Amino acid sequence: MSELSREARADALLDSVQEERSRRLKIFLGAAPGVGKTYAMLSAARELKRQGVDVVVGLVETHGRAETQALLEGLEQLPRRSVTYRGRDFTEFDLDAALQRRPDVILVDELAHRNLPGGRHERRWQDIAELLDAGVEVYTALNVQHLESLNDQVRRITNVTVRETVPDAFLDRARDIVLVDLPPRELIQRLKQGKVYVPETAAAALDAFFSPTNLVALRELAVETVAGHVDSDLREHMLARGGAMPVRRRVLAAIDGHSQSEYLVRVARRIAERRGAPWSVAFVDTGATLDKARRERIETAMRLARRLGGDTVVLRGHAIADELIAHADREGIGQIILGRTRERPLARMLGRSLTQLLLRRGAHLELTIIATPAERAKSRLRLRMPGGRGRRDEYIYATLAMLVGFALAFIADRYLSVANLSLIFLTVVLVVAVRTRMAVAVYTATLCFLGDNFFFAPPRYTLTIASFDDVLAVCLFFVAALVCSRLATRLASQVESMRAAHAQARALLALGQRLSTSTDADGIRKVGANALAHGLRCDVAILARDASQVLHAVASSPRDFPLAAQDLAAAAWCEQHAEQAGRYTDTLNAAPCWVLPLGSEDNKLGAAALRFVPERGELLPDERSLALTMVQDIGQALERARLTDELEGARVQGETERLRNALLSSVSHDLRSPLASMIGSAGTLASYGDQLPPDERRELLEAILGEGQRLDRYIQNLLDMTRLGHGTLKLNRDWTDAAEIVAASTTRLRKLFPDLKLDIALPPSTILLYVHPALIEQALFNILENAARFSPPGEAVRVVVRSKGEQMQIDVIDRGPGIPEDERARIFDMFYSVARGDRAPQGTGLGLAICRGMIGAHGGSVEALPGDGIGTTIRITLPLPAPPDNPT
C-alpha cells in the first residue's frame, strides 16, 4: 500500500470515528401516516429505559390511539409550551426546557412539523438540530413524502403538494434510519378501522392520498431513500477500511430562473446522493435584465439548494456554455444537469444552442438533459423575443422615429428626387434598433417596409411588390433590425451588469478605506454601520456586549434606529451559534431585521442587524452576497483591532515589567546616597552649628538643598514609573501638537537651568500626535535635563523637530563629551555606569530608562547618535497616525 493511500485511509478512518461520535439522530421513516412509526419509536424508548438510559419524551402525538398512549406510561414527559395564535391556544415542543433537562435520549415526534409563529425556529427539524448540537441524542419520526428532494415526485404521484418538508441534508446527520413498513392492504384496513384517522377523515383519505397505487409508489420511495443512505454509509465504511472507491466528481445543476429550476435542484440532489458526490447549483448572469418573477425563482431555487445541502454560485459572463465549462474545470465537476427548454430554430441550425455548445466544447463532461414536458409545452404557447417585448416608451420612440423618417422621405421624393428612398427607412430601422429591444426593432422594420412599399415603391398606394429590389429591401430591413437590436441589447445588458458589479466593488472599496483609518473597535463599528446602510439602502445596527455581557447596539445608522425584542433575541442566537437569524432565514424569522454574525462561534464579536422596508421581498443574490462580504470585512477588521490591542497590551506589559524591575533595583541604589549626604550635613549642623563659620554653614545648607532637590526629582521619576507600572500601562491618548510638548518641556527645563541656552527648530506645519501628552512631555524633559547637565557652560542645547514619512523625530543635541560608539546602545540599561551622560555620579540612574519605557509604550523608540563632531544626539521617534477628521 502506498504512503498516499495509507494517509487517505487514516484520514477517512478518523473522519468516520468523529462522524460516528457526532451522529446522535435516529429517524423512524415510514411511507405514509399510520404505518406505526411512533409506536416503534416508543417501543425502542421503553427498551432503553429498561436498560437504565435516561429517556425523556419531549413531544409525541398519539392521535387518540390507545395502544400508542399506553406506551407512554412510565416515561418522563416534558411539559409543552403554550402558544396563542389567532385567538386560539395551542401547545408546542419546549426547546429551552429540553436543553435545560439534557437527557441522554429525547423523543420528538413529527420531524417535518412547522412551528407556530413566536418560537425560536420555524421548523421542528431546526429545534432537533439545536438539540443535536448540544450533545443530546434524539429519536424522531418522518414520512417519506416530507423529504424536500421528493416533493415533485410526491406531487406527481398523489396530486397533493406537501408544504411541510425536511431538507435531505438533515438526514445525513442520522446515525440510524429505521424503515417502518406496512403492506398497503393492511394500512388501508387500519384506516377503515379508524386506527389512523377518525371515520370522517378516513373516508376522504381513502379516496385521495391512501389509494393503493399511491401507497405502493410511496413505499418504493421510502425503500429507495433508506437504500441510498445504506449505500452512502457503505461507501464511507469501505473508504475508511481502505477499500477502493472511484473518485467522487462533483455534480452541477445549471438553472436559468424559469419554472423548472426547483425541479432541477431536486433532481441534482437525488443524482448526487446516489453517486455519493458533492453537488452545487449555478446560475450564469449574462447581464440581461431579469423580471421580478424570474429573479424570485432564481433566489427560491438557490435557497432550496442550500437547504438540501448543496453549494450555490452565481457566475458572470456573456457566454453561458464557456462559463459553465470553465467553472466545471476549476471545481472538478464531472456532470452538468440541464433542463430541456425550447431552443430557437436558427440557433439549433447553426449549432449554437446551449446543449450543442456544451456537447462540442465539454467532451470531458457528462451532460444530463432533464425533460420537463409540462413546462416545454407551456413555453411553446408563447413567443418571447430576445431582450423582451419592449416598454411603452420604446414603442413611442420608434413611432416618432418612423414619422420623422416618413417626413424626410416625402421631402426627398418631392424636392430632391432621391432615387432610393429605402435608405432613409433603413437608417430609421438602425437608429431604433441600437436603442431599443428586438421586438421594437421588428415592429419598426415591419412598418417601415409597409410604408415604403405603399407610398413610394411602384405601383404606389398598393402593397404589391413589383420588383426584386423591394424584396431585397424588406430582407435588409429585418436583417438590420435583428442584428443591430441583438448587439445593442447585449451591449446594454453587459453595461448594466458592469454597472452593478462596479457599484458593489465601489461599496467594498469605500468600506475598506474607511476601516483602514479606524483605530479602535468603536470606530470600526461606526464605519461599518454607515457603510452597510449606504451600500444596501437599509437601517443598520451593530451589536456588541458591554462589560456586564449585555448585548446591545453600539453603533447604528440612523442613530435613532430602534431594535425590537425579536431582533435582540435573534442577535443573541446569531452571535452564540455564528449563523444568520431573523428575516430571510428559518430561525426567529418573525424578527424585522436580518441578523448576521460578525465573528465565529469560538470568537464572538457581536452581530449586525439589517432592517429593510417591510414591503421589500427577497434580496437579490448580488445584494445578499454584498451584505455577507461587507459584514465579513467588518468582522475581520474587529478581529485585527482585537489582536492589535492584545499585542499592544503585551508590549506594554513587557515594558511595565522591565520598568518595575528597574524601580526595585534602583530604590536601594539611588535613595541612600542623597539621604546619607543630607543626614550627614544636617547632623553636622545640629552638633556644631554655632561653632561653624557662616560660609561652611551655608555650604552645608546648600548641600542639603541640592540633595533634597535631587531626591525630589528621583521621587518624581518613581511616581511616574509607579503610575505607569501599576497593573497594566494605560495610555490616555489624545491628539496634540508636537510643538506644544516641546514648549512645555523647555519651560520646565528653564526653571531648573535659568542660564541654559536653547536652540529650538520647529517645522513650518503642524505635526499632530495621537499620544499620552504628559508621558511624552516627561520623557522629553528627562532627555533635555540630561543634555543640560553635561553641556559645557555657554553652549546651547539644540532641539530639532521634523516629520519623516510616517514618523516624527525629535533630536536633542548637546556639545558635551559624547558617548563612545560601543556604549551608546547600553546607556538606556539600568545601572550601566559610564563617566558621561546620565550615568555620571549625580545621575539618578532612571531618567533615560524611564524615557525609553514611556516612548516604547507608544510604539516609538529612543536611540543615542553621535553629535556634529562632538557631543551626543538623543533621537526620539514616534509613529504618525492618520489625522482625525475634526481634530480638537
Side-chain angles (χ1 to χ4, degrees), residues 541-610:
I542 304 295
L543 298 96
R545 296 191 181 274
D546 55 17
S548 58
Q549 295 301 307
V550 176
L551 189 67
H552 64 98
V554 295
S556 62
S557 180
R559 292 186 178 180
D560 56 348
F561 175 31
L563 288 174
Q566 298 97 320
D567 295 328
L568 294 176
W573 191 91
C574 170
E575 184 197 36
Q576 180 181 358
H577 296 85
E579 295 181 5
Q580 303 175 27
R583 189 177 179 183
Y584 306 129
T585 70
D586 294 331
T587 301
L588 296 170
N589 54 10
C593 292
W594 180 31
V595 187
L596 305 174
L598 289 174
S600 62
E601 195 169 357
D602 298 328
N603 183 26
K604 299 178 174 60
L605 299 174
L610 284 65

Side-chain angles (χ1 to χ4, degrees), residues 658 819-830 832 834 839 848-849 852 862-866 872-874:
R658 191 186 63 80
I819 301 175
E821 182 177 358
D822 58 344
E823 298 182 6
R824 288 174 192 150
R826 306 177 64 184
I827 65 171
F828 299 99
D829 296 337
M830 295 303 301
Y832 178 76
V834 292
R839 299 301 180 240
L848 294 182
R852 185 175 66 174
V862 183
E863 57 182 334
L865 303 173
T872 301
T873 297
I874 304 295

Side-chain angles (χ1 to χ4, degrees), residues 648 651-652 655 658 729 731 733 776 779 850-862 877-878:
E648 183 174 1
R651 185 180 68 251
V652 168
E655 291 291 337
R658 191 186 63 80
L729 184 58
L731 301 180
R733 293 178 181 264
I776 301 300
I850 292 178
C851 173
R852 185 175 66 174
M854 292 176 176
I855 299 300
H858 288 79
S861 62
V862 183
T877 303
L878 287 169

Side-chain angles (χ1 to χ4, degrees), residues 728-792:
T728 58
L729 184 58
K730 182 175 178 60
L731 301 180
N732 296 321
R733 293 178 181 264
D734 197 3
W735 293 100
T736 186
D737 187 356
E740 295 181 1
I741 294 178
V742 173
S745 301
T746 54
T747 300
R748 290 176 57 189
L749 186 68
R750 289 184 189 279
K751 294 180 181 180
L752 190 61
F753 301 94
D755 300 330
L756 179 67
K757 295 181 180 180
L758 290 173
D759 182 7
I760 301 175
L762 298 175
S765 59
T766 301
I767 299 179
L768 289 179
L769 298 174
Y770 190 62
V771 295
H772 189 148
L775 299 184
I776 301 300
E777 176 190 333
Q778 181 64 41
L780 180 58
F781 174 78
N782 288 351
I783 295 175
L784 288 171
E785 182 187 7
N786 186 77
R789 287 190 178 279
F790 302 101
S791 287

Side-chain angles (χ1 to χ4, degrees), residues 487-510:
L487 293 176
T489 301
R490 180 181 299 174
L491 180 61
S493 300
Q494 292 175 348
V495 170
E496 186 67 25
S497 178
M498 292 178 61
R499 184 181 292 115
H502 178 67
Q504 291 192 18
R506 188 169 60 248
L508 292 175
L509 178 61

Side-chain angles (χ1 to χ4, degrees), residues 510-533 540-544 554-557 598 605 607-608 630-645:
L511 174 62
Q513 291 175 342
R514 294 175 185 174
L515 290 177
S516 65
T517 60
S518 300
T519 58
D520 56 2
D522 291 337
I524 291 173
R525 293 187 180 101
K526 291 179 181 178
V527 166
N530 293 331
L532 283 169
V540 178
I542 304 295
L543 298 96
V554 295
S556 62
S557 180
L598 289 174
L605 299 174
M630 294 181 73
V631 168
Q632 183 180 13
D633 290 347
I634 296 171
Q636 291 175 351
L638 289 172
E639 177 66 13
R640 287 196 299 270
R642 185 185 66 81
L643 293 176
T644 301
D645 291 341

Side-chain angles (χ1 to χ4, degrees), residues 5-282:
S5 62
R6 283 196 298 268
E7 291 180 1
R9 178 180 175 183
D11 292 341
L13 185 58
L14 181 61
D15 292 341
S16 66
V17 172
Q18 294 176 346
E19 187 174 4
E20 185 67 23
R21 291 178 179 176
S22 63
R23 286 185 173 183
R24 300 176 180 271
L25 177 64
K26 187 170 186 176
I27 298 177
F28 294 83
L29 181 69
V35 297
K37 303 180 300 298
T38 305
Y39 189 92
M41 180 174 64
L42 287 172
S43 299
R46 294 182 68 86
E47 177 61 23
L48 291 177
K49 182 74 173 179
R50 190 184 64 80
Q51 297 174 7
V53 179
D54 183 16
V55 181
V56 171
V57 177
L59 183 143
V60 165
E61 299 288 355
T62 63
H63 298 289
R65 302 164 190 162
E67 62 273 18
T68 305
Q69 184 67 38
L71 292 177
L72 285 172
E73 296 180 3
L75 295 176
E76 179 185 350
Q77 300 185 49
L78 289 180
R80 300 190 183 186
R81 178 173 56 91
S82 299
V83 179
T84 301
Y85 180 65
R86 294 182 178 179
R88 298 178 58 188
D89 294 332
F90 300 90
T91 59
E92 287 278 15
F93 170 60
D94 194 337
L95 175 60
D96 292 327
L99 291 172
Q100 185 176 3
R101 174 64 174 78
R102 293 182 67 88
D104 294 336
V105 179
I106 188 169
L107 276 61
V108 184
D109 204 0
E110 297 188 356
L111 177 61
H113 172 74
R114 182 189 295 270
N115 295 327
L116 291 174
R120 183 180 308 169
H121 299 296
E122 183 181 6
R123 305 296 181 89
R124 183 165 292 167
W125 65 264
Q126 294 173 303
D127 294 338
I128 294 178
E130 189 166 344
L131 288 171
L132 295 174
D133 293 337
V136 180
E137 186 172 351
V138 180
Y139 282 18
T140 187
L142 176 70
N143 289 323
V144 72
Q145 68 264 25
H146 294 290
L147 282 178
E148 181 69 57
S149 65
L150 301 177
N151 193 265
D152 292 317
Q153 285 184 266
V154 172
R155 183 169 57 247
R156 287 199 305 271
I157 293 170
T158 64
N159 291 324
V160 175
T161 301
V162 179
R163 302 296 180 185
E164 297 178 337
T165 57
V166 176
D168 293 53
F170 185 76
L171 267 68
D172 296 337
R173 305 188 62 173
R175 182 186 59 202
D176 299 310
I177 298 180
V178 179
L179 178 61
V180 182
D181 190 28
L182 194 65
R185 184 176 301 175
E186 294 184 21
L187 179 57
I188 293 174
Q189 187 65 29
R190 283 174 52 83
L191 187 66
K192 291 179 178 179
Q193 294 172 357
K195 295 182 178 181
V196 180
Y197 297 126
V198 295
E200 294 79 6
T201 307
L206 283 171
D207 295 335
F209 192 86
F210 283 84
S211 67
T213 304
N214 290 350
L215 293 178
V216 170
L218 292 173
R219 194 182 184 195
E220 291 180 358
L221 288 180
V223 172
E224 289 179 2
T225 300
V226 175
H229 281 270
V230 170
D231 290 342
S232 178
D233 292 341
L234 178 60
R235 282 192 298 267
E236 295 175 2
H237 179 79
M238 291 181 61
L239 184 60
R241 298 302 184 269
M245 296 296 295
V247 178
R248 299 191 304 170
R249 299 278 286 175
R250 295 180 62 91
V251 175
L252 175 68
I255 64 173
D256 56 5
H258 293 301
S259 55
Q260 80 276 11
S261 296
E262 291 185 58
Y263 176 77
L264 288 178
V265 171
R266 293 188 175 95
V267 170
R269 159 68 191 188
R270 293 198 295 271
I271 292 176
E273 184 180 15
R274 294 191 189 103
R275 294 192 171 195
W279 65 286
S280 58
V281 176

